[in-house]
Amino acid sequence: MRAPGLIAVLAVLILSLTGVAVPAQTPGEAVTPLDHLSALRGDYFRIDSEATGRPYHIYVRYPEGYDPAADVTWPTVYLTDGDSLFPILAANHLFLHYDEQLPEALVVGIAYGGFDPSVNRRNIDFQSPGDGVEQAGAEAFQRFLTSELIPRIEADYRSNPQRRVLFGQSRGGAFVLYSAVTDPDLFWGRIASNPSITPGIESLLEPAAEATRADLGVVVTSGTRDRPDLQAEAVQWLAHWERQSVRPWRLHLVRIEGGTHAANAPDAYRAGMLWLFGRDDAP
């Protein structure tokens, strides 16, 4: 049996003799399929959270033209449910930059590494406290963001701390609203796509923590084909906060015509990002 190293050497030799280009690779360097997807070019690391007691897989998509040595910082979008939303929304951000002149950005996907309930604990991490709630992990998950993930992103990448955006879908959208109420300054912009906020709505209607900034924004998107109860919850949350004479952020509702619960996340991202970044013709 030939040694694996010898086989590799022979393969390179054959390719070179046939004129086929051999990609440069550092000895021992791991190559993953994402390395060959230009729209998702970036980085990956695992972080074991002390706040929640479990690991997360973090994907970082670089903006076009990203140079870690350059004296420039970029808006940074944090995506909950990164297992599914990162490959969709991070890649689509490039087209929004091309077609809509949306500023380029670092996009950070927070993933569990699987959908199995033994691994994926979104039902705990995104759950706000309230009547009938047994495991409300939103406070711990927010501590993970505040004290562990965000500091690492802003230490290791050219991330602009004044332009953080948080995006969440469904129960992740409820966490976006929880974050807006409990720590307004943590993110400059927030997008809650079809938020599912019951149970736990009580903590989302409590008085908001004080903000030190006057430029914060919260976008709530609701699909016209989403479940009627979830559409009603979004209206209830917005109506409550619109009645408040003082609130820490601007509010914006987007109704997505024909939008279903999950499949229109790119439409929610597009509408929310364009409004946050001041496009006059944003939906």
Side-chain angles (χ1 to χ4, degrees), residues 176-177 189-193 195 217-221 237-238 250-254 268 271-273 275-276 283:
V176 169
L177 302 182
R190 291 174 168 89
I191 306 168
S193 171
V218 175
V219 181
V220 178
T221 72
W237 189 86
L238 281 160
R250 297 175 299 143
L251 287 174
H252 184 58
L253 170 65
V254 177
M273 290 292 284
W275 184 79
L276 287 171

Side-chain angles (χ1 to χ4, degrees), residues 19-233:
V20 177
V22 180
Q25 183 177 343
T26 304
E29 178 186 9
V31 177
T32 67
L34 284 180
D35 293 335
H36 304 288
L37 295 175
S38 299
L40 292 175
R41 185 180 71 89
D43 200 7
Y44 159 84
F45 61 89
R46 168 176 163 150
I47 184 168
D48 295 290
S49 172
E50 293 184 4
T52 67
R54 51 180 161 271
Y56 299 91
H57 300 273
I58 308 301
Y59 294 88
V60 182
R61 181 254 178 191
Y62 293 159
E64 193 172 48
Y66 179 75
D67 180 356
D71 187 22
V72 60
T73 58
W74 302 86
T76 304
V77 185
Y78 293 81
L79 305 175
T80 61
D81 285 316
D83 301 82
S84 53
L85 291 180
F86 177 78
I88 298 170
L89 301 183
N92 196 51
H93 191 104
L94 181 65
F95 295 132
L96 293 174
H97 174 62
Y98 287 163
D99 291 352
E100 304 275 18
Q101 292 73 57
L102 184 70
E104 262 287 26
L106 288 158
V107 182
V108 179
I110 307 167
Y112 292 94
F115 294 124
D116 190 277
S118 64
V119 174
N120 192 309
R121 306 311 295 270
R122 69 190 299 276
N123 61 312
I124 297 174
D125 285 347
F126 306 156
Q127 178 62 61
S128 55
D131 294 342
V133 175
E134 295 182 0
Q135 291 182 291
E139 189 274 334
F141 186 72
Q142 185 152 272
R143 276 193 286 113
F144 158 65
L145 296 179
T146 304
S147 63
E148 297 174 323
L149 179 59
I150 291 175
R152 179 160 177 179
I153 292 294
E154 293 179 358
D156 294 350
Y157 305 95
R158 303 298 296 169
S159 172
N160 182 352
Q162 299 302 310
R163 284 293 181 270
R164 300 179 194 141
V165 176
L166 177 65
F167 180 96
Q169 159 72 29
S170 188
R171 180 58 64 175
F175 175 76
V176 169
L177 302 182
Y178 171 85
S179 174
V181 171
T182 58
D183 192 354
D185 282 334
L186 185 58
F187 292 95
W188 166 73
R190 291 174 168 89
I191 306 168
S193 171
N194 290 327
S196 175
I197 59 181
T198 300
I201 190 172
E202 297 83 3
S203 56
L204 307 183
L205 302 177
E206 294 177 353
E210 186 175 351
T212 62
R213 301 178 59 170
D215 61 344
L216 307 177
V218 175
V219 181
V220 178
T221 72
S222 182
T224 61
R225 290 176 56 209
D226 194 10
R227 285 170 28 192
D229 59 318
L230 298 187
Q231 295 184 54
E233 289 177 5

Side-chain angles (χ1 to χ4, degrees), residues 234-283:
V235 169
Q236 179 185 358
W237 189 86
L238 281 160
H240 168 81
W241 284 105
E242 286 173 345
R243 289 194 299 268
Q244 309 307 308
S245 58
V246 177
R247 55 180 177 268
W249 5 256
R250 297 175 299 143
L251 287 174
H252 184 58
L253 170 65
V254 177
R255 292 286 283 164
I256 298 178
E257 189 63 37
T260 60
H261 183 63
N264 291 89
D267 298 309
Y269 185 89
R270 172 182 176 271
M273 290 292 284
L274 291 180
W275 184 79
L276 287 171
F277 281 89
R279 274 284 300 270
D280 293 337
D281 57 345

